[in-house]
Amino acid sequence: MRPVRFSPRLPALGLALAATAVALAGSGSSSSVAAATDAPPAPCPTQQTHPWCNRSLSPDARALLFQQAMTQDEEITLVGGDANGAAGHTGATYAIPRLGLRAIYFSDGPVGPRQGSATAMPVPMALAATWNQQLAHADGQEIATEAKDKGNDIVFAPTVNIMRTPQGGRTYEAYGEDTYLNAQTTVGWIQGAQSTGVIATVKHFVANNQEGQGGAPPFVATNGGRQLVDVQVDERTLREVYFPQFEAAVKQAKTGALMCSYNKVNGTYACENPHTLLQVLEGDWGYKGIVLADYGASKDTAGNMNNGLDFVPDEGQVDFSYQPQLIQAALATGQVSRATLDAHVRRILRTLFAFGVFDRPGYANSDSQINVAADQRTAERTEERAITLLKNDGVLPLKPGIKKIAVIGPYANRFVTGGGSGGVTPRRIITVLQGIIARAGKPVTVTYADGSDQAAAAALAKAADVAVVVVGDVETEGQDKDCIGLNCTSDTVNSEAVLETSGSSCGAQSCPLNGTNEDGLVSAVAAAQKKTVVVLETGAPVLTPWRAQVPAILEAWYPGQEGGTAIARVLFGEVNPGGRLPATFPADASQLQTAGDPMKYPGVAEEESYSEGVFVGYKWYDAHKFTPAYPFGYGLSYTTFRYGPLHVSVTRRANQVATTTIDITNTGRRAGIAVPELYISKPAVGALPQPLRQLVGYDSVTVPAGRTVRVSFPLNDRSFATWDSTGWRVIPGCYGLAAGSSSRSLPGHAVVSRGAHCGGAGAKLGTSGSFFLPLPATARATLLPRSAHPGKRHARKHRR
Ligand code: BGC
């Protein structure tokens, strides 16, 4: 039995404010290191005395047997974490030695384990920019393997909240503005992570899309702060925009754990919300895994217990709702039934059984097990695919014969990543400057200026053959940016306060952006040197007011510890960029869906309205006919592609009603990565306005020079369905399909009729269907033989 603690329950505001600061500064902070430990013994030494150890039984049956052997006090022990026993991990459970259950350990997070030093991967926004589910799988596998080698059973990742505004402090941690791209990346990541035996934790459920403004930076935002904000959002918007990536995590990826968030949804905290947790997650989606609370997100013993919260990891530190005496009191007064407690315990246990926790020794905590070289390769390969070429007037790739390169800017010679629980202490750092020096070799002189002196930087640029300016933003959990440009006040404040404790190299040198006017720097360098390449290291879209002044722009995101090598390889043309934007770059801040109305963002008196509904990201730009700086799905290559016509046919396979195919020909002289994207336009009916188009399929394929690849997109009823008050429904009408290279470049078109007469329909289908299907699967690509007429069927599989 864990010792009974008598921590007073803090009032909501105090708790809220204390929570994040403690979570970030205290448990599992990047500087604390768990002492290396041998593997703890397997909890099932004998099957004779421990009937739940019988492996032929189902996880549910084993969980029931174990739970029936527990006392009430032991059950109470299992639903609250041991905040003081984390020993360098982000958290731990209490062991129950009498029954052979050891402590279970968990670690953040989505960029790498936050426990000692780790391989700092490119951030999740970069991963989303690869548009590649296999890389998401590899990323999940790599991070979970390192977490496992540090003795963890559970990893608190992936973060899958939609980017509702690029001001969001955690946009770097997630997968951008589109639900489908997000869901596919989520599925790849979780499947990769859980293939290691580690349990993934999809977070933060749900509508946790901002950190807030004001207050005392960096951790406490008082205006629309995540701890307090009450998100008013209609059911259709939840079902179509903010739920699907969680739904895919549950139904397709079978995530073992899910973290509920701090905020309220329609008046009720997310960790005690009967609609989101009981009706949707458990009821509609059939989730059987663990629901655990974000650190400080549980508020009310009976409210949490009765509405689906199984486990409070930080109990006793910033959460107090599952402290033993409160649960005992709730049971004694009948506010919570014993059956409810039993059910929470069984859900935790069944997940541990399902993931083999009882059938193997615990994981040893020793970095010596980590395959450092392999992880570095994964980090570099991912970043190479993530780098997104936004503009190129022929300067890139850098030409042989260049004698002098000026590398300039506050980000050129340091490691920068996002702050907060997604921060990672990198195992090593390769900066852009180092990457360029290594790649350029002896014959090329590389000069460097940090950009704090604009005139000196311009002179350096002028004296070189080409200038590479590296600039970026600062994002952190706990505080949104106060602008979306490169010169935000919040960047300056947060760069010192947060980045150095979150994996950035700010400790050694002063942090970026302290007084550096980055927009001014780019313009000054561009005025001095015609061949100026801008490399952005940002966690989200930013404003690019100087984009007409420079011939080339690369978005490298927060590129991870191997970023310098990957960026140099793209600059020199060893790698042909394959990244595409997972979020729209606005032409100016007034184009954002959250602009101009404080009720929409950051909220008024802690209430916020998602009144844009389903018109999020590019769907908003399309609806308002805005021309962004760079649209969703956009990105250039060093080669060119031609997109053929779009064909659609009826197919009746499991989870598929139609197949769409398109041929893509590489019309240039070198191999390149094409990212074909398929969008659907649904018929609008009065009460259900529809986005002009929305993504329903994509792939990322290497196409050799002069060759053609055929990509097939499977569509299921869910691809066509709309959520109305009665559920998912295919509205009778004509559905447009369009394919191409970005949300604004879609040369291929087709029409599918569903229970309606549509001229020129390529496929005719009825409107009935099964709507608890998962989202459609990812596309498949096939390299056509040279002789094949585009239009004939498949040749051999093409390796991606
Ligand atoms: C974050 C979570 C994180 C937890 C533990 C919270 O502040 O919101 O994402 O997993 O801390 O570090």
Side-chain angles (χ1 to χ4, degrees):
M1 177 65 196
R2 92 177 110 130
V4 173
R5 284 153 287 137
F6 293 97
S7 323
R9 297 199 65 208
L10 296 178
L13 181 64
L15 174 59
L17 300 187
T20 314
V22 176
L24 293 177
S27 60
S29 77
S30 56
S31 54
S32 57
V33 185
T37 53
D38 292 337
C44 260
T46 115
Q47 294 194 14
Q48 287 71 36
T49 50
H50 303 97
W52 52 85
C53 291
N54 180 350
R55 292 187 195 189
S56 66
L57 298 175
S58 69
D60 286 301
R62 297 176 73 181
L64 180 63
L65 286 169
F66 191 99
Q67 178 249 309
Q68 286 171 340
M70 296 169 85
T71 64
Q72 178 173 298
D73 283 347
E74 283 166 342
E75 289 196 24
I76 291 172
T77 293
L78 199 62
V79 296
D82 179 4
N84 301 314
H89 303 264
T90 306
T93 61
Y94 284 94
I96 306 178
R98 182 181 77 84
L99 298 173
L101 178 56
R102 62 179 171 81
I104 307 296
Y105 292 102
F106 5 103
S107 171
D108 286 314
V111 185
R114 194 166 62 94
Q115 183 180 326
S117 62
T119 305
M121 295 297 287
V123 294
M125 185 65 99
L127 185 63
T130 69
W131 293 58
N132 188 309
Q133 208 183 33
Q134 286 152 327
L135 285 177
H137 189 280
D139 190 84
Q141 195 168 31
E142 187 277 327
I143 290 174
T145 304
E146 282 205 12
K148 174 172 160 177
D149 289 342
K150 288 170 178 287
N152 296 288
D153 306 275
I154 299 181
V155 64
F156 287 160
T159 301
V160 306
N161 297 107
I162 289 287
M163 189 197 89
R164 184 168 172 264
T165 165
Q167 282 181 257
R170 298 184 88 166
T171 59
Y172 79 91
E173 253 188 71
Y175 302 135
E177 72 188 21
D178 179 73
T179 300
Y180 181 73
L181 176 62
N182 186 327
Q184 297 297 320
T185 311
T186 298
V187 169
W189 200 96
I190 293 175
Q191 286 177 340
Q194 294 194 160
S195 71
T196 68
V198 167
I199 299 169
T201 309
V202 66
K203 67 187 186 182
H204 311 79
F205 192 66
V206 62
N208 180 188
N209 303 306
Q210 68 189 51
E211 301 299 288
Q213 296 281 338
F219 299 130
V220 179
T222 48
N223 192 5
R226 62 175 174 168
Q227 308 269 0
L228 303 169
V229 69
D230 181 359
V231 170
Q232 303 292 313
V233 54
D234 64 74
E235 188 64 16
R236 179 188 175 203
T237 302
L238 283 174
R239 297 278 181 168
E240 292 194 16
V241 180
Y242 297 102
F243 280 164
Q245 53 280 17
F246 291 99
E247 183 182 2
V250 169
K251 290 184 183 172
Q252 283 171 271
K254 314 278 182 227
T255 187
L258 170 143
M259 183 185 281
C260 52
S261 56
Y262 293 112
N263 53 292
K264 289 181 183 167
V265 183
N266 294 326
T268 307
Y269 281 113
C271 289
E272 55 187 79
N273 195 307
H275 177 59
T276 57
L277 293 180
L278 298 182
Q279 286 169 14
V280 177
L281 178 67
E282 277 187 36
D284 292 351
W285 303 343
Y287 179 61
K288 293 172 87 177
I290 304 168
V291 175
L292 56 90
D294 201 346
Y295 281 41
S298 78
K299 316 276 185 192
D300 175 70
T301 309
N304 293 133
M305 276 271 165
N306 291 332
N307 292 297
L309 180 63
D310 300 314
F311 178 63
V312 175
D314 211 34
E315 171 57 42
Q317 188 151 260
V318 291
D319 287 270
F320 301 98
S321 67
Y322 280 10
Q323 55 186 303
Q325 72 274 26
L326 289 181
I327 297 179
Q328 280 152 0
L331 289 167
T333 55
Q335 285 178 287
V336 172
S337 71
R338 178 69 193 271
T340 299
L341 174 65
D342 291 349
H344 289 306
V345 166
R346 280 202 303 276
R347 289 170 69 94
I348 296 169
L349 291 170
R350 85 161 296 286
T351 306
L352 299 182
F353 278 112
F355 280 81
V357 168
F358 285 82
D359 303 326
R360 56 166 173 80
Y363 299 130
N365 174 10
S366 170
D367 279 11
S368 65
Q369 306 171 93
I370 295 171
N371 187 341
V372 171
D375 292 353
Q376 284 166 357
R377 277 195 300 277
T378 306
E380 188 195 325
R381 197 162 50 108
T382 306
E383 174 60 12
E384 284 175 2
R385 285 293 279 257
I387 292 170
T388 311
L389 182 60
L390 299 179
K391 181 171 182 184
N392 186 18
D393 290 349
V395 175
L396 293 177
L398 297 177
K399 308 288 173 290
I402 282 178
K403 298 261 181 323
K404 202 174 202 184
I405 303 174
V407 179
I408 293 165
Y411 282 68
N413 199 25
R414 71 178 72 241
F415 170 72
V416 173
T417 191
S421 59
V424 171
T425 303
R427 195 167 278 118
R428 71 169 187 182
I429 296 165
I430 299 178
T431 68
V432 181
L433 178 64
Q434 290 166 337
I436 289 177
I437 291 172
R439 177 58 189 72
K442 282 228 167 85
V444 182
T445 305
V446 179
T447 55
Y448 165 66
D450 70 6
S452 50
D453 178 341
Q454 258 182 42
L460 202 78
K462 195 169 184 180
D465 300 321
V466 61
V468 177
V469 189
V470 193
V471 287
D473 71 341
V474 178
E475 283 187 17
T476 180
E477 177 180 337
Q479 190 84 31
D480 290 339
K481 300 198 303 182
D482 58 8
C483 82
I484 55 164
L486 291 179
N487 297 336
C488 306
T489 311
S490 57
D491 284 358
T492 305
V493 175
N494 290 331
S495 65
E496 285 298 348
V498 183
L499 290 187
E500 70 184 69
T501 55
S502 302
S504 162
S505 54
C506 291
Q509 311 151 49
S510 76
C511 271
L513 306 171
N514 289 324
T516 306
N517 169 359
E518 292 194 287
D519 286 333
L521 177 66
V522 173
S523 296
V525 172
Q529 171 55 262
K530 270 199 290 192
K531 292 183 180 167
T532 291
V533 179
V534 176
V535 175
L536 288 168
E537 291 190 358
T538 68
V542 289
L543 295 180
T544 49
W546 30 257
R547 62 189 175 281
Q549 299 160 23
V550 295
I553 307 171
L554 277 183
E555 171 59 91
W557 314 104
Y558 298 148
Q561 65 173 49
E562 307 297 314
T565 306
I567 292 166
R569 293 192 73 206
V570 169
L571 291 172
F572 284 91
E574 266 173 76
V575 169
N576 194 347
R580 302 294 186 269
L581 291 180
T584 310
F585 269 57
D588 61 66
S590 71
Q591 292 184 334
L592 300 180
Q593 80 219 16
T594 48
D597 181 356
M599 244 346 258
K600 279 173 135 187
Y601 178 82
V604 175
E606 305 312 339
E607 198 174 303
E608 185 179 42
S609 167
Y610 282 23
S611 54
E612 72 279 6
V614 297
F615 297 92
V616 172
Y618 62 92
K619 297 162 197 164
W620 175 262
Y621 288 75
D622 287 344
H624 293 267
K625 299 192 168 49
F626 290 149
T627 302
Y630 301 106
F632 175 78
Y634 167 86
L636 299 171
S637 166
Y638 294 151
T639 187
T640 46
F641 300 103
R642 187 180 60 235
Y643 280 73
L646 185 65
H647 296 283
V648 58
S649 56
V650 175
T651 34
R652 302 219 180 273
R653 285 192 209 127
N655 190 29
Q656 200 171 321
V657 295
T659 304
T660 308
T661 55
I662 189 161
D663 291 342
I664 301 131
T665 303
N666 182 341
T667 50
R669 294 220 188 100
R670 58 175 296 173
I673 296 159
V675 179
E677 303 167 25
L678 179 72
Y679 294 82
I680 196 164
S681 305
K682 301 175 185 174
V685 289
L688 297 170
Q690 298 286 5
L692 183 63
R693 60 180 72 93
Q694 45 197 304
L695 189 71
V696 282
Y698 67 87
D699 204 354
S700 165
V701 288
T702 302
V703 190
R707 303 292 300 275
T708 299
V709 159
R710 173 165 300 160
V711 177
S712 309
F713 301 102
L715 296 174
N716 61 20
D717 280 322
R718 180 67 180 267
S719 319
F720 294 87
T722 297
W723 180 268
D724 72 10
S725 48
T726 57
W728 290 106
R729 186 161 71 93
V730 175
I731 296 162
C734 306
Y735 288 75
L737 292 167
S741 60
S742 87
S743 62
R744 290 286 173 101
S745 176
L746 297 164
H749 293 272
V751 174
V752 176
S753 80
R754 302 224 54 172
H757 294 292
C758 311
K764 294 182 181 167
L765 293 160
T767 54
S768 63
S770 165
F771 301 115
F772 287 99
L773 292 167
L775 295 167
T778 37
R780 286 279 160 264
T782 317
L783 179 65
L784 298 180
R786 281 183 194 280
S787 56
H789 180 268
K792 283 197 184 151
R793 280 270 150 194
H794 301 159
R796 63 192 162 83
K797 275 258 169 211
H798 185 61
R799 282 178 52 219
R800 278 179 264 168

